[in-house]
Amino acid sequence: MGKRVSLEELHQYILNKTSQIRTVSEEMKEIQVGFNSKHVAWKADHDAALERLVEAVLARMEEVGPELKGRIEERVAEERRIVDERRQELRDTLIPQVQAEVDDLIKKGRTVVEFVREENPRLDEREEQLKAKWAKLEGELTVLNERIRKLSGCLGVVFNFLKINKLDRQRQRVIGQMYEVRSQLRDVRQEWQETRHVADDEEDRLQVRWQELTREVAQMQGELDYLEEASNRENLALRRAVRHVIDNLKEPIPCPAADVKADLDGMVTLNIQTDDTQGGLGVASGLIALLDGIIEGMKRFDQSVAGLVTEQHMHSAYLKRLDVDVPDDVEAFHAQWEGLAQKVRDDGRLCENPAEFLNVVLPEFEGKVSEAAIRGAFESLGRALSAATSQWG
């Protein structure tokens, strides 16, 4: 039986363990950054050395010895198949697909132009109708203003009050109609501006995409034209075979040419380094995701515990204070974090030696932070908490 703690102590226990897990995660993230930096540097050296060595081997194929030459010749058949598949894919699938998208963009562009042409006469006609209506109302207003002016002279306001009042009401109606016409004119012009703006944006988008696809088609067509020549396909298959064999060397290989042999041995080291850093990056990312998942699970579990603490304080008059028995397997699971943090704390040395990380540190995590162990710890603590809260009935 594990130790017995109060709800408040359990809350603090979870916070402490979450902090320890976060420390391990942060150390792992530093290692990830280091691996990424090393991978970029080593990959650049690797790729440059690989290209130089490929050219050297192609130029001196008869000097590299039977073992390397035999591996290359064995690989050529597979590379011929890959190259021919690429040629067929370009000819039968990729170029037709992109060309179809280009044709579709052209149709869409025509549709945009046609839409603008259709909208332009409609809006022009509507604007002319409103302008004519405005002119008519403006004329009516002029007549009414003149009639009111004549009736208002000298003592006319007194004797023609009723007539003036009637004309003024008519005048106000005309002014109201003119306001409405002006608003409609503004709406028509705004609609035209928006239509033109939307059309221009769509045309720009289509033009940019059309240019991208046109370049893509040109590049693929150039590649296909190259691959249509049998001699080009054979040269490419041989070059790819040389690159594949050299890029996958993990141990020294005999080679009579001393200078090429030295470069091949250096390539072995670079291959191992880049593979190790790439492998370390993948493993580090997976472990970080796993640790962050545990942290999130701990936070959610603690929310439940914190809620129970609050409830116990609020209703302390009639709720019994709870104690929780933390199981042994939970304590064992959470006792490992300080040790794991120590394992990954020397991130500078580990970044320089990714193989050590993969061969020494990784097994520590795989053995102690497995999915089964994580699930078991959460489920066990969950059962303990449920057993404690059952006392509240």
CSV table of all heavy atoms in Angstrom, one decimal, residues 68-120:
chain,number,residue,atom,x,y,z
A,68,LEU,N,32.6,-2.3,-55.2
A,68,LEU,CA,31.8,-1.1,-55.3
A,68,LEU,C,31.1,-1.1,-56.7
A,68,LEU,O,29.9,-0.8,-56.8
A,68,LEU,CB,32.6,0.1,-55.2
A,68,LEU,CG,31.9,1.5,-55.3
A,68,LEU,CD1,30.8,1.6,-54.3
A,68,LEU,CD2,32.9,2.6,-55.1
A,69,LYS,N,31.8,-1.5,-57.7
A,69,LYS,CA,31.2,-1.5,-59.1
A,69,LYS,C,30.1,-2.5,-59.1
A,69,LYS,O,29.1,-2.3,-59.8
A,69,LYS,CB,32.3,-1.8,-60.1
A,69,LYS,CG,31.9,-1.8,-61.5
A,69,LYS,CD,33.0,-2.0,-62.5
A,69,LYS,CE,32.5,-1.9,-63.9
A,69,LYS,NZ,33.6,-2.2,-64.9
A,70,GLY,N,30.3,-3.7,-58.5
A,70,GLY,CA,29.3,-4.7,-58.5
A,70,GLY,C,28.0,-4.2,-57.8
A,70,GLY,O,26.9,-4.5,-58.3
A,71,ARG,N,28.1,-3.5,-56.7
A,71,ARG,CA,26.9,-3.0,-56.0
A,71,ARG,C,26.2,-2.0,-56.8
A,71,ARG,O,25.0,-2.0,-56.9
A,71,ARG,CB,27.3,-2.4,-54.7
A,71,ARG,CG,27.9,-3.3,-53.6
A,71,ARG,CD,28.0,-2.6,-52.3
A,71,ARG,NE,28.7,-3.4,-51.3
A,71,ARG,CZ,28.9,-3.0,-50.0
A,71,ARG,NH1,28.4,-1.8,-49.6
A,71,ARG,NH2,29.6,-3.8,-49.2
A,72,ILE,N,27.0,-1.2,-57.5
A,72,ILE,CA,26.4,-0.2,-58.4
A,72,ILE,C,25.6,-0.9,-59.5
A,72,ILE,O,24.5,-0.5,-59.8
A,72,ILE,CB,27.4,0.8,-59.0
A,72,ILE,CG1,28.0,1.6,-57.8
A,72,ILE,CG2,26.9,1.7,-60.0
A,72,ILE,CD1,29.2,2.4,-58.2
A,73,GLU,N,26.2,-1.8,-60.2
A,73,GLU,CA,25.6,-2.5,-61.3
A,73,GLU,C,24.3,-3.2,-60.9
A,73,GLU,O,23.4,-3.3,-61.6
A,73,GLU,CB,26.6,-3.5,-62.0
A,73,GLU,CG,27.7,-2.7,-62.7
A,73,GLU,CD,28.8,-3.7,-63.2
A,73,GLU,OE1,28.8,-4.9,-62.8
A,73,GLU,OE2,29.6,-3.3,-64.1
A,74,GLU,N,24.4,-3.8,-59.7
A,74,GLU,CA,23.2,-4.5,-59.1
A,74,GLU,C,22.1,-3.5,-58.9
A,74,GLU,O,20.9,-3.8,-59.1
A,74,GLU,CB,23.6,-5.2,-57.8
A,74,GLU,CG,22.5,-6.0,-57.2
A,74,GLU,CD,22.9,-6.6,-55.9
A,74,GLU,OE1,24.1,-6.6,-55.6
A,74,GLU,OE2,22.0,-7.2,-55.2
A,75,ARG,N,22.4,-2.3,-58.5
A,75,ARG,CA,21.4,-1.3,-58.2
A,75,ARG,C,20.8,-0.6,-59.5
A,75,ARG,O,19.7,-0.2,-59.5
A,75,ARG,CB,22.0,-0.2,-57.3
A,75,ARG,CG,21.0,0.9,-57.0
A,75,ARG,CD,19.9,0.5,-56.1
A,75,ARG,NE,18.8,1.5,-56.0
A,75,ARG,CZ,17.7,1.3,-55.3
A,75,ARG,NH1,17.5,0.2,-54.6
A,75,ARG,NH2,16.8,2.3,-55.2
A,76,VAL,N,21.6,-0.7,-60.6
A,76,VAL,CA,21.1,0.0,-61.8
A,76,VAL,C,19.8,-0.5,-62.3
A,76,VAL,O,19.0,0.3,-62.8
A,76,VAL,CB,22.2,-0.1,-62.9
A,76,VAL,CG1,21.6,0.2,-64.3
A,76,VAL,CG2,23.4,0.8,-62.6
A,77,ALA,N,19.5,-1.8,-62.2
A,77,ALA,CA,18.3,-2.3,-62.7
A,77,ALA,C,17.1,-1.7,-62.0
A,77,ALA,O,16.1,-1.3,-62.6
A,77,ALA,CB,18.2,-3.8,-62.5
A,78,GLU,N,17.2,-1.5,-60.7
A,78,GLU,CA,16.1,-0.9,-59.9
A,78,GLU,C,15.9,0.6,-60.3
A,78,GLU,O,14.8,1.1,-60.4
A,78,GLU,CB,16.4,-1.0,-58.4
A,78,GLU,CG,15.4,-0.3,-57.5
A,78,GLU,CD,14.0,-0.9,-57.6
A,78,GLU,OE1,13.8,-1.9,-58.2
A,78,GLU,OE2,13.0,-0.2,-57.1
A,79,GLU,N,17.1,1.2,-60.5
A,79,GLU,CA,17.0,2.7,-60.9
A,79,GLU,C,16.4,2.8,-62.3
A,79,GLU,O,15.7,3.8,-62.6
A,79,GLU,CB,18.4,3.3,-60.8
A,79,GLU,CG,18.9,3.4,-59.4
A,79,GLU,CD,18.1,4.2,-58.5
A,79,GLU,OE1,17.3,5.1,-58.9
A,79,GLU,OE2,18.2,4.0,-57.2
A,80,ARG,N,16.7,1.9,-63.2
A,80,ARG,CA,16.1,1.9,-64.5
A,80,ARG,C,14.5,1.9,-64.4
A,80,ARG,O,13.8,2.6,-65.1
A,80,ARG,CB,16.5,0.8,-65.4
A,80,ARG,CG,18.0,0.9,-65.9
A,80,ARG,CD,18.2,-0.1,-67.0
A,80,ARG,NE,19.6,-0.2,-67.4
A,80,ARG,CZ,20.4,-1.2,-67.0
A,80,ARG,NH1,20.0,-2.2,-66.3
A,80,ARG,NH2,21.7,-1.2,-67.4
A,81,ARG,N,14.1,1.0,-63.5
A,81,ARG,CA,12.6,0.9,-63.3
A,81,ARG,C,12.0,2.2,-62.8
A,81,ARG,O,11.0,2.7,-63.2
A,81,ARG,CB,12.3,-0.3,-62.4
A,81,ARG,CG,10.8,-0.5,-62.1
A,81,ARG,CD,10.6,-1.5,-61.0
A,81,ARG,NE,11.1,-1.0,-59.7
A,81,ARG,CZ,10.4,-0.1,-59.0
A,81,ARG,NH1,9.2,0.4,-59.5
A,81,ARG,NH2,10.9,0.4,-57.9
A,82,ILE,N,12.7,2.8,-61.8
A,82,ILE,CA,12.2,4.0,-61.2
A,82,ILE,C,12.2,5.2,-62.2
A,82,ILE,O,11.2,5.9,-62.3
A,82,ILE,CB,13.1,4.4,-60.0
A,82,ILE,CG1,13.0,3.4,-58.9
A,82,ILE,CG2,12.8,5.8,-59.5
A,82,ILE,CD1,14.0,3.6,-57.7
A,83,VAL,N,13.3,5.3,-63.0
A,83,VAL,CA,13.3,6.3,-64.0
A,83,VAL,C,12.2,6.1,-65.1
A,83,VAL,O,11.6,7.1,-65.5
A,83,VAL,CB,14.7,6.3,-64.7
A,83,VAL,CG1,14.7,7.2,-65.9
A,83,VAL,CG2,15.8,6.8,-63.7
A,84,ASP,N,12.0,4.9,-65.5
A,84,ASP,CA,11.0,4.7,-66.5
A,84,ASP,C,9.6,4.9,-65.9
A,84,ASP,O,8.7,5.5,-66.6
A,84,ASP,CB,11.1,3.2,-67.0
A,84,ASP,CG,10.3,3.0,-68.3
A,84,ASP,OD1,10.5,3.8,-69.3
A,84,ASP,OD2,9.3,2.2,-68.3
A,85,GLU,N,9.4,4.6,-64.7
A,85,GLU,CA,8.1,4.9,-64.0
A,85,GLU,C,7.9,6.4,-64.0
A,85,GLU,O,6.7,6.9,-64.2
A,85,GLU,CB,8.0,4.3,-62.6
A,85,GLU,CG,7.7,2.8,-62.6
A,85,GLU,CD,7.5,2.3,-61.2
A,85,GLU,OE1,7.7,3.1,-60.2
A,85,GLU,OE2,7.2,1.1,-61.0
A,86,ARG,N,8.9,7.1,-63.7
A,86,ARG,CA,8.8,8.6,-63.7
A,86,ARG,C,8.5,9.1,-65.0
A,86,ARG,O,7.6,10.0,-65.2
A,86,ARG,CB,10.2,9.2,-63.2
A,86,ARG,CG,10.2,10.7,-63.2
A,86,ARG,CD,9.2,11.4,-62.3
A,86,ARG,NE,9.4,12.8,-62.3
A,86,ARG,CZ,8.6,13.6,-61.6
A,86,ARG,NH1,7.6,13.2,-60.9
A,86,ARG,NH2,8.8,14.9,-61.7
A,87,ARG,N,9.1,8.6,-66.1
A,87,ARG,CA,8.8,9.0,-67.4
A,87,ARG,C,7.3,8.8,-67.8
A,87,ARG,O,6.6,9.7,-68.3
A,87,ARG,CB,9.7,8.3,-68.4
A,87,ARG,CG,9.4,8.6,-69.9
A,87,ARG,CD,10.4,8.0,-70.8
A,87,ARG,NE,10.3,6.6,-70.8
A,87,ARG,CZ,9.8,5.8,-71.8
A,87,ARG,NH1,9.4,6.4,-72.9
A,87,ARG,NH2,9.8,4.5,-71.8
A,88,GLN,N,6.8,7.6,-67.4
A,88,GLN,CA,5.4,7.3,-67.7
A,88,GLN,C,4.5,8.2,-66.9
A,88,GLN,O,3.4,8.6,-67.4
A,88,GLN,CB,5.2,5.8,-67.4
A,88,GLN,CG,5.9,4.9,-68.4
A,88,GLN,CD,5.6,3.4,-68.0
A,88,GLN,OE1,4.6,3.1,-67.5
A,88,GLN,NE2,6.6,2.6,-68.3
A,89,GLU,N,4.8,8.4,-65.6
A,89,GLU,CA,4.0,9.3,-64.7
A,89,GLU,C,3.9,10.7,-65.3
A,89,GLU,O,2.8,11.3,-65.3
A,89,GLU,CB,4.6,9.3,-63.3
A,89,GLU,CG,3.7,10.0,-62.3
A,89,GLU,CD,4.3,10.1,-60.9
A,89,GLU,OE1,5.5,10.1,-60.8
A,89,GLU,OE2,3.5,10.2,-60.0
A,90,LEU,N,5.1,11.2,-65.7
A,90,LEU,CA,5.1,12.6,-66.3
A,90,LEU,C,4.2,12.6,-67.5
A,90,LEU,O,3.4,13.5,-67.7
A,90,LEU,CB,6.5,13.0,-66.7
A,90,LEU,CG,7.4,13.4,-65.5
A,90,LEU,CD1,8.9,13.4,-66.0
A,90,LEU,CD2,7.0,14.7,-64.9
A,91,ARG,N,4.4,11.6,-68.4
A,91,ARG,CA,3.7,11.7,-69.7
A,91,ARG,C,2.2,11.4,-69.6
A,91,ARG,O,1.3,12.0,-70.2
A,91,ARG,CB,4.3,10.6,-70.6
A,91,ARG,CG,3.7,10.6,-72.1
A,91,ARG,CD,4.4,9.4,-72.8
A,91,ARG,NE,4.1,8.2,-72.1
A,91,ARG,CZ,4.9,7.1,-72.3
A,91,ARG,NH1,6.0,7.2,-73.0
A,91,ARG,NH2,4.6,6.0,-71.6
A,92,ASP,N,1.8,10.4,-68.7
A,92,ASP,CA,0.4,9.9,-68.7
A,92,ASP,C,-0.4,10.6,-67.6
A,92,ASP,O,-1.7,10.6,-67.7
A,92,ASP,CB,0.4,8.4,-68.5
A,92,ASP,CG,1.1,7.7,-69.6
A,92,ASP,OD1,1.3,8.2,-70.7
A,92,ASP,OD2,1.6,6.5,-69.4
A,93,THR,N,0.2,11.1,-66.6
A,93,THR,CA,-0.6,11.6,-65.4
A,93,THR,C,-0.3,13.0,-65.1
A,93,THR,O,-1.2,13.9,-65.1
A,93,THR,CB,-0.3,10.7,-64.2
A,93,THR,OG1,-0.6,9.3,-64.5
A,93,THR,CG2,-1.2,11.1,-63.0
A,94,LEU,N,1.0,13.3,-64.7
A,94,LEU,CA,1.3,14.6,-64.1
A,94,LEU,C,1.1,15.8,-65.1
A,94,LEU,O,0.4,16.8,-64.8
A,94,LEU,CB,2.7,14.6,-63.6
A,94,LEU,CG,3.0,13.6,-62.4
A,94,LEU,CD1,4.5,13.7,-62.0
A,94,LEU,CD2,2.1,13.9,-61.3
A,95,ILE,N,1.7,15.7,-66.3
A,95,ILE,CA,1.6,16.8,-67.2
A,95,ILE,C,0.1,17.0,-67.7
A,95,ILE,O,-0.4,18.1,-67.7
A,95,ILE,CB,2.5,16.6,-68.5
A,95,ILE,CG1,3.9,16.7,-68.0
A,95,ILE,CG2,2.2,17.6,-69.6
A,95,ILE,CD1,5.0,16.5,-69.1
A,96,PRO,N,-0.6,15.9,-68.0
A,96,PRO,CA,-2.0,16.1,-68.3
A,96,PRO,C,-2.9,16.7,-67.2
A,96,PRO,O,-3.7,17.5,-67.5
A,96,PRO,CB,-2.5,14.7,-68.7
A,96,PRO,CG,-1.3,13.9,-69.1
A,96,PRO,CD,-0.2,14.5,-68.3
A,97,GLN,N,-2.6,16.3,-66.0
A,97,GLN,CA,-3.3,16.9,-64.8
A,97,GLN,C,-3.1,18.4,-64.7
A,97,GLN,O,-4.0,19.2,-64.5
A,97,GLN,CB,-2.9,16.2,-63.5
A,97,GLN,CG,-3.5,14.8,-63.4
A,97,GLN,CD,-3.1,14.1,-62.1
A,97,GLN,OE1,-2.1,14.6,-61.4
A,97,GLN,NE2,-3.7,13.0,-61.7
A,98,VAL,N,-1.8,18.8,-64.8
A,98,VAL,CA,-1.5,20.2,-64.6
A,98,VAL,C,-2.0,21.0,-65.8
A,98,VAL,O,-2.5,22.1,-65.7
A,98,VAL,CB,0.0,20.4,-64.5
A,98,VAL,CG1,0.4,21.9,-64.4
A,98,VAL,CG2,0.5,19.7,-63.2
A,99,GLN,N,-1.9,20.4,-67.0
A,99,GLN,CA,-2.4,21.1,-68.2
A,99,GLN,C,-3.9,21.3,-68.1
A,99,GLN,O,-4.5,22.3,-68.5
A,99,GLN,CB,-2.0,20.3,-69.5
A,99,GLN,CG,-2.3,21.1,-70.7
A,99,GLN,CD,-1.6,22.4,-70.8
A,99,GLN,OE1,-0.4,22.4,-70.8
A,99,GLN,NE2,-2.3,23.5,-70.9
A,100,ALA,N,-4.6,20.3,-67.6
A,100,ALA,CA,-6.1,20.4,-67.4
A,100,ALA,C,-6.4,21.5,-66.4
A,100,ALA,O,-7.4,22.2,-66.6
A,100,ALA,CB,-6.6,19.1,-66.9
A,101,GLU,N,-5.6,21.7,-65.3
A,101,GLU,CA,-5.8,22.7,-64.4
A,101,GLU,C,-5.5,24.1,-65.1
A,101,GLU,O,-6.3,25.1,-64.8
A,101,GLU,CB,-4.9,22.6,-63.2
A,101,GLU,CG,-5.2,23.6,-62.1
A,101,GLU,CD,-4.4,23.3,-60.8
A,101,GLU,OE1,-3.8,22.3,-60.7
A,101,GLU,OE2,-4.5,24.2,-59.9
A,102,VAL,N,-4.5,24.2,-65.9
A,102,VAL,CA,-4.3,25.4,-66.7
A,102,VAL,C,-5.5,25.8,-67.5
A,102,VAL,O,-5.9,26.9,-67.6
A,102,VAL,CB,-3.0,25.3,-67.6
A,102,VAL,CG1,-2.9,26.4,-68.5
A,102,VAL,CG2,-1.8,25.1,-66.7
A,103,ASP,N,-6.0,24.8,-68.3
A,103,ASP,CA,-7.2,25.0,-69.1
A,103,ASP,C,-8.4,25.5,-68.3
A,103,ASP,O,-9.1,26.3,-68.7
A,103,ASP,CB,-7.5,23.7,-69.9
A,103,ASP,CG,-6.4,23.3,-70.9
A,103,ASP,OD1,-5.6,24.2,-71.2
A,103,ASP,OD2,-6.4,22.1,-71.3
A,104,ASP,N,-8.5,24.9,-67.1
A,104,ASP,CA,-9.6,25.3,-66.2
A,104,ASP,C,-9.5,26.7,-65.8
A,104,ASP,O,-10.5,27.4,-65.7
A,104,ASP,CB,-9.7,24.3,-65.0
A,104,ASP,CG,-10.9,24.6,-64.1
A,104,ASP,OD1,-12.0,24.5,-64.7
A,104,ASP,OD2,-10.7,24.8,-62.9
A,105,LEU,N,-8.2,27.1,-65.5
A,105,LEU,CA,-8.0,28.5,-65.1
A,105,LEU,C,-8.3,29.5,-66.2
A,105,LEU,O,-8.9,30.5,-65.9
A,105,LEU,CB,-6.5,28.7,-64.6
A,105,LEU,CG,-6.1,28.1,-63.3
A,105,LEU,CD1,-4.6,28.2,-63.1
A,105,LEU,CD2,-6.9,28.7,-62.2
A,106,ILE,N,-8.0,29.1,-67.4
A,106,ILE,CA,-8.3,29.9,-68.5
A,106,ILE,C,-9.8,30.1,-68.7
A,106,ILE,O,-10.3,31.2,-68.9
A,106,ILE,CB,-7.7,29.3,-69.8
A,106,ILE,CG1,-6.2,29.4,-69.8
A,106,ILE,CG2,-8.3,30.1,-71.1
A,106,ILE,CD1,-5.5,28.7,-70.9
A,107,LYS,N,-10.6,29.0,-68.5
A,107,LYS,CA,-12.1,29.1,-68.5
A,107,LYS,C,-12.6,30.0,-67.4
A,107,LYS,O,-13.5,30.8,-67.6
A,107,LYS,CB,-12.6,27.7,-68.4
A,107,LYS,CG,-12.4,26.8,-69.6
A,107,LYS,CD,-13.0,25.4,-69.4
A,107,LYS,CE,-12.7,24.5,-70.5
A,107,LYS,NZ,-13.2,23.1,-70.3
A,108,LYS,N,-12.0,29.8,-66.2
A,108,LYS,CA,-12.5,30.7,-65.1
A,108,LYS,C,-12.2,32.1,-65.4
A,108,LYS,O,-13.0,33.0,-65.0
A,108,LYS,CB,-11.8,30.2,-63.8
A,108,LYS,CG,-12.3,28.9,-63.3
A,108,LYS,CD,-11.5,28.5,-62.0
A,108,LYS,CE,-12.1,27.2,-61.4
A,108,LYS,NZ,-11.3,26.8,-60.2
A,109,GLY,N,-11.0,32.4,-66.0
A,109,GLY,CA,-10.7,33.8,-66.3
A,109,GLY,C,-11.7,34.4,-67.3
A,109,GLY,O,-12.1,35.5,-67.2
A,110,ARG,N,-12.1,33.6,-68.3
A,110,ARG,CA,-13.1,34.0,-69.3
A,110,ARG,C,-14.4,34.3,-68.6
A,110,ARG,O,-15.1,35.3,-68.9
A,110,ARG,CB,-13.2,33.0,-70.4
A,110,ARG,CG,-12.1,32.9,-71.3
A,110,ARG,CD,-12.2,31.7,-72.3
A,110,ARG,NE,-11.1,31.6,-73.2
A,110,ARG,CZ,-10.8,30.5,-73.9
A,110,ARG,NH1,-11.6,29.5,-73.8
A,110,ARG,NH2,-9.7,30.5,-74.7
A,111,THR,N,-14.7,33.4,-67.6
A,111,THR,CA,-16.0,33.6,-66.9
A,111,THR,C,-16.0,34.9,-66.1
A,111,THR,O,-17.0,35.6,-66.1
A,111,THR,CB,-16.2,32.4,-65.9
A,111,THR,OG1,-16.2,31.2,-66.6
A,111,THR,CG2,-17.5,32.6,-65.1
A,112,VAL,N,-14.9,35.3,-65.5
A,112,VAL,CA,-14.8,36.5,-64.8
A,112,VAL,C,-15.0,37.7,-65.7
A,112,VAL,O,-15.7,38.6,-65.4
A,112,VAL,CB,-13.4,36.6,-64.0
A,112,VAL,CG1,-13.2,38.0,-63.5
A,112,VAL,CG2,-13.3,35.6,-62.9
A,113,VAL,N,-14.3,37.7,-66.9
A,113,VAL,CA,-14.4,38.7,-67.8
A,113,VAL,C,-15.9,38.9,-68.3
A,113,VAL,O,-16.4,40.0,-68.4
A,113,VAL,CB,-13.5,38.5,-69.0
A,113,VAL,CG1,-13.8,39.5,-70.1
A,113,VAL,CG2,-12.1,38.6,-68.6
A,114,GLU,N,-16.5,37.7,-68.6
A,114,GLU,CA,-17.9,37.7,-69.1
A,114,GLU,C,-18.8,38.3,-68.0
A,114,GLU,O,-19.8,39.0,-68.3
A,114,GLU,CB,-18.3,36.3,-69.5
A,114,GLU,CG,-17.6,35.8,-70.8
A,114,GLU,CD,-17.9,34.3,-71.0
A,114,GLU,OE1,-18.6,33.7,-70.2
A,114,GLU,OE2,-17.3,33.8,-72.0
A,115,PHE,N,-18.6,37.9,-66.8
A,115,PHE,CA,-19.4,38.4,-65.7
A,115,PHE,C,-19.3,40.0,-65.6
A,115,PHE,O,-20.3,40.6,-65.4
A,115,PHE,CB,-18.9,37.8,-64.3
A,115,PHE,CG,-19.6,38.4,-63.1
A,115,PHE,CD1,-20.9,38.1,-62.8
A,115,PHE,CD2,-18.8,39.3,-62.3
A,115,PHE,CE1,-21.5,38.7,-61.7
A,115,PHE,CE2,-19.4,39.8,-61.2
A,115,PHE,CZ,-20.7,39.5,-60.9
A,116,VAL,N,-18.1,40.5,-65.7
A,116,VAL,CA,-18.0,41.9,-65.6
A,116,VAL,C,-18.7,42.6,-66.8
A,116,VAL,O,-19.3,43.6,-66.7
A,116,VAL,CB,-16.5,42.3,-65.6
A,116,VAL,CG1,-16.3,43.8,-65.7
A,116,VAL,CG2,-15.8,41.8,-64.4
A,117,ARG,N,-18.5,42.0,-68.0
A,117,ARG,CA,-19.2,42.6,-69.2
A,117,ARG,C,-20.7,42.6,-69.0
A,117,ARG,O,-21.4,43.5,-69.4
A,117,ARG,CB,-18.8,41.8,-70.4
A,117,ARG,CG,-17.4,42.0,-70.9
A,117,ARG,CD,-17.0,41.1,-72.0
A,117,ARG,NE,-15.7,41.4,-72.5
A,117,ARG,CZ,-15.0,40.6,-73.4
A,117,ARG,NH1,-15.6,39.5,-73.9
A,117,ARG,NH2,-13.8,40.9,-73.8
A,118,GLU,N,-21.2,41.5,-68.4
A,118,GLU,CA,-22.7,41.4,-68.2
A,118,GLU,C,-23.2,42.4,-67.2
A,118,GLU,O,-24.2,43.0,-67.3
A,118,GLU,CB,-23.1,40.0,-67.7
A,118,GLU,CG,-22.9,39.0,-68.8
A,118,GLU,CD,-23.2,37.5,-68.3
A,118,GLU,OE1,-23.4,37.4,-67.1
A,118,GLU,OE2,-23.1,36.6,-69.1
A,119,GLU,N,-22.4,42.6,-66.1
A,119,GLU,CA,-22.8,43.5,-65.0
A,119,GLU,C,-22.6,45.0,-65.5
A,119,GLU,O,-23.4,45.8,-65.1
A,119,GLU,CB,-21.9,43.3,-63.8
A,119,GLU,CG,-22.2,42.0,-63.1
A,119,GLU,CD,-23.6,42.0,-62.5
A,119,GLU,OE1,-23.8,42.7,-61.5
A,119,GLU,OE2,-24.4,41.2,-63.0
A,120,ASN,N,-21.7,45.3,-66.3
A,120,ASN,CA,-21.4,46.7,-66.7
A,120,ASN,C,-22.7,47.3,-67.4
A,120,ASN,O,-23.1,48.4,-67.0
A,120,ASN,CB,-20.2,46.7,-67.6
A,120,ASN,CG,-19.7,48.2,-67.8
A,120,ASN,OD1,-20.1,49.1,-67.1
A,120,ASN,ND2,-19.0,48.4,-68.9
